Amino acid sequence: LPLLTAAAMQHSAELKGLEIDKALNQQDLKLARKVILNSLSLGAGYNYGNQASIALSNPNNPNQFTTFSSSRYQTGATFALPIGQVASRGNLIAKEKLNYQRSEAARQAHENLLRQQIITLYQNVVLARKVFTLQQEAFVNTRTNYQLAEKQFRQGQATLQELSGANGVLTAGSVAQESARNQYDTTFMLLEEVVGVKISTLMTAP
């Protein structure tokens, strides 16, 4: 059963979809935690003007001054965050956590249902196999009885009605055997469909 269950989970398209949903919710949770960084911006600027002017006296003429203007390169970071965004950040993170937990719960629930399905299908296969085996044995006995009745009829020891009755039982036994065979084959194929691989291949895998 563990091999069948593991193979079924690996093959399940619905379980793969739930895994994708879980991964998406995990990414949403990460984004919710980093959303505050969206309000942080970096800036740089180059200024030239008289803001940094320096006046120096001319040695040759004390009454004259020479003015020098210097340029500045400025860098900085700004951070502006609306109060509403600050207040709702915790709620947003909590919401994404719940979404992630819900996706995990849905995945776990599907795994549980899949395990139950495998158990049911496996038990159906076991039962169908037993019924088929019993029907085979019963058919062998029925065929032997018919052959005996046919021999007795030829020897005059059995009537035509008795032979006809034995033939009817033989026909019913043949139908029951084929029905049991069909039921066994069907349950076996249903199990393989859910597992996604041939049972013989799975059992012989290293």
Side-chain angles (χ1 to χ4, degrees), residues 164-205:
S164 178
N167 183 64
V169 173
L170 179 64
T171 301
S174 177
V175 172
Q177 178 182 241
E178 289 304 314
S179 177
R181 185 199 307 273
N182 179 72
Q183 182 66 22
Y184 171 68
D185 290 342
T186 300
T187 54
F188 196 84
M189 286 187 292
L190 286 174
L191 179 59
E192 287 188 331
E193 177 64 24
V194 175
V195 171
V197 66
K198 293 289 184 182
I199 302 299
S200 58
T201 303
L202 183 64
M203 295 306 176
T204 57

Side-chain angles (χ1 to χ4, degrees), residues 115-150:
R115 288 191 185 95
Q116 295 173 14
Q117 185 180 10
I118 290 297
I119 292 173
T120 300
L121 290 173
Y122 178 78
Q123 292 294 75
N124 288 342
V125 170
V126 172
L127 177 61
R129 178 62 182 174
K130 289 182 178 179
V131 171
F132 178 47
T133 300
L134 291 174
Q135 289 294 347
Q136 284 181 310
E137 295 173 354
F139 180 72
V140 171
N141 294 332
T142 300
R143 185 171 57 188
T144 300
N145 291 336
Y146 173 77
Q147 291 173 346
L148 179 60
E150 187 179 33

